[in-house]
Amino acid sequence: MHEMSVALSVVDQVEQAARANAAQGVRQVGVDIGELAGVVPDSLAFCFELACAGTVLEGARLVMRSVPGRASCEPCGRTWDTGMPPDLVCAQCRSAATELLSGRELRITEVQWTTEADAPPPTPAGRSEEN
């Protein structure tokens, strides 16, 4: 399952950043996923939850943003959504000399973490917050 390796990579990179920033935990991770990247969002969400277990990311929310595939025709300059499967032939001039502008992304765009200052104060032993 390729999504597990993607999830493990995201967790590893976020853990490194969290350590470097003295984060106590991670609330949310945002990722851009291109529609042509070959990643199944539901599978990635499932794998992300598993990969986070026992790490500083445990309980973190994964927010995925889909990035549409876009192409540009070099001869005539037209741009279009490629769709899936991708249509990489220009409908205007029928050229196949196209450049893929977007849709293959797979990148971390945002991380929200908690620091010691964000943590609630400790409750004295033997007392609950409801008392």
Side-chain angles (χ1 to χ4, degrees), residues 13-128:
Q13 290 178 47
V14 172
E15 274 191 309
Q16 288 178 32
R19 277 193 299 274
N21 288 281
Q24 301 297 309
V26 175
R27 281 190 288 252
Q28 182 171 297
V29 177
V31 294
D32 281 356
I33 302 172
E35 74 174 330
L36 308 175
V39 174
V40 178
D42 288 343
S43 295
L44 179 58
F46 176 77
C47 292
F48 180 79
E49 188 175 336
L50 293 175
C52 288
T55 72
V56 72
L57 283 87
E58 189 160 3
R61 182 172 161 236
L62 180 65
V63 177
M64 296 175 277
R65 185 177 74 98
S66 178
V67 179
R70 300 253 327 138
S72 173
C73 178
E74 291 179 19
C76 76
R78 177 180 172 263
T79 62
W80 68 95
D81 288 339
T82 63
M84 190 60 178
D87 178 10
L88 298 175
V89 175
C90 180
Q92 184 169 306
C93 71
R94 303 306 304 161
S95 173
T98 59
E99 177 185 359
L100 191 59
L101 302 174
S102 67
R104 295 183 59 187
E105 295 83 356
L106 184 53
R107 68 175 158 246
I108 300 168
T109 57
E110 172 190 25
V111 178
Q112 293 179 6
W113 48 63
T114 59
T115 61
E116 245 181 76
D118 297 330
T123 305
R127 293 185 54 191
S128 70

